[in-house]
Amino acid sequence: MKIAILTSDPQSIFWHRQDLADDFVKAKHDLLIISSGNEEWVDKFHQYGFRYKYIRLNRNGINPITDIYTFLDFIKVLKEEKPDKVFAYQAKAVVYGCWAANRCGITEVYTMLTGLGSVLRDNKKTLKHQLLSFILKRLYKNAFRCSRVVVFQNKDDQDIMINATSLPLNKTVLVNGSGVDINTYIHRSLPSTPTFLYIGRLVEEKESENILRRAKSLKINIKT
């Protein structure tokens, strides 16, 4: 069986989906990764037994012309490869990958939303933010119509998207996150000195600026 994994960021395969990809290869499936990137990634994926094709994809951009190229590239690769099943995660891979798979006659399409992102989660009242939120909800709604199952890792995200896109509950699955590979991230003893751990991305929406400011102040106070 040929399986295609669609993602907006090739590095995320090694960070979050390598166990899944390894299991596909061990089961003797022909695994293809379709993502952004360049020729350098081909050899890296090949080392793990994964085939890789890169397309034009700017995961953070909002230029509609660039996104049209992404959609057309997905169609081109999927037509050439004709996978039996498609698994897509991350926003643009879900939106344009699902549409492209549908255009290519692929019916076994499965998607995962690991988070909604700042566009859908923030309550900003600016016209730009409201417009982007409206467009993204419509894009997801159309993508979900092309998917057999939509997997969520967060109950709140599941509820929000069901309400925002009229997604049927029986078409969704709720899982307990991606987990952590304890063979890679080995258990270690806690440090003997007072230590503060922040788990999250350093982005404005998560108040990272305040966290960094408090951390800097705390570090100065401890030294003095």
Side-chain angles (χ1 to χ4, degrees):
M1 181 187 299
K2 183 181 288 189
I3 300 173
I5 297 181
L6 282 51
T7 177
S8 303
D9 182 5
Q11 295 183 91
S12 68
I13 294 291
F14 301 106
W15 292 340
H16 307 301
R17 304 283 170 260
Q18 186 163 349
D19 286 345
L20 175 65
D22 285 340
D23 285 345
F24 285 151
V25 173
K26 289 175 184 175
K28 306 301 182 183
H29 297 306
D30 179 8
L31 178 63
L32 171 68
I33 311 294
I34 307 174
S35 183
S36 60
N38 52 49
E39 194 68 33
E40 294 178 4
W41 284 96
V42 175
D43 290 337
K44 185 169 184 179
F45 278 108
H46 183 71
Q47 292 172 12
Y48 292 90
F50 313 154
R51 292 195 301 117
Y52 167 71
K53 289 196 174 182
Y54 58 90
I55 62 172
R56 292 169 289 185
L57 191 159
N58 182 349
R59 63 193 184 101
N60 295 319
I62 58 174
N63 185 330
I65 303 301
T66 303
D67 286 357
I68 289 173
Y69 288 136
T70 297
F71 175 56
L72 294 176
D73 282 358
F74 270 130
I75 290 178
K76 181 176 182 292
V77 175
L78 291 173
K79 274 187 175 179
E80 291 173 351
E81 292 288 341
K82 298 180 174 58
D84 300 292
K85 299 180 186 293
V86 168
F87 171 63
Y89 69 97
Q90 296 185 324
K92 290 196 177 183
V94 168
V95 169
Y96 301 119
C98 289
W99 289 1
N102 182 258
R103 288 288 297 272
C104 295
I106 301 169
T107 58
E108 295 246 12
V109 180
Y110 304 87
T111 63
M112 172 181 279
L113 265 67
T114 57
L116 299 186
S118 58
V119 173
L120 294 181
R121 277 207 165 275
D122 286 357
N123 294 317
K124 294 179 181 178
K125 301 300 182 182
T126 64
L127 179 60
K128 178 182 177 181
H129 183 272
Q130 290 179 333
L131 180 60
L132 287 175
S133 178
F134 173 78
I135 292 172
L136 188 55
K137 287 175 184 177
R138 296 296 300 178
L139 292 174
Y140 271 132
K141 184 173 184 176
N142 290 331
F144 294 160
R145 288 173 178 166
C146 305
S147 306
R148 282 201 174 188
V149 175
V150 182
V151 180
F152 292 91
Q153 296 185 333
N154 181 299
K155 183 64 168 61
D156 291 340
D157 293 350
Q158 183 185 34
D159 292 340
I160 289 171
M161 295 309 286
I162 286 174
N163 292 329
T165 66
S166 302
L167 176 65
L169 177 62
N170 62 6
K171 201 175 177 179
T172 69
V173 173
L174 182 65
V175 299
N176 295 320
S178 299
V180 176
D181 183 352
I182 58 175
N183 293 317
T184 301
Y185 299 95
I186 302 170
H187 175 269
R188 291 187 178 138
S189 300
L190 292 172
S192 57
T193 55
T195 303
F196 296 86
L197 174 64
Y198 168 68
I199 301 176
R201 292 182 298 149
L202 293 175
V203 294
E204 182 182 357
E205 292 79 9
K206 298 183 182 296
E207 299 293 335
S208 298
E209 185 178 345
N210 289 334
I211 293 171
L212 293 172
R213 190 183 302 115
R214 297 295 183 274
K216 184 177 180 180
S217 173
L218 184 62
K219 187 174 182 180
I220 292 172
N221 291 336
I222 290 176
K223 284 185 175 180
T224 57

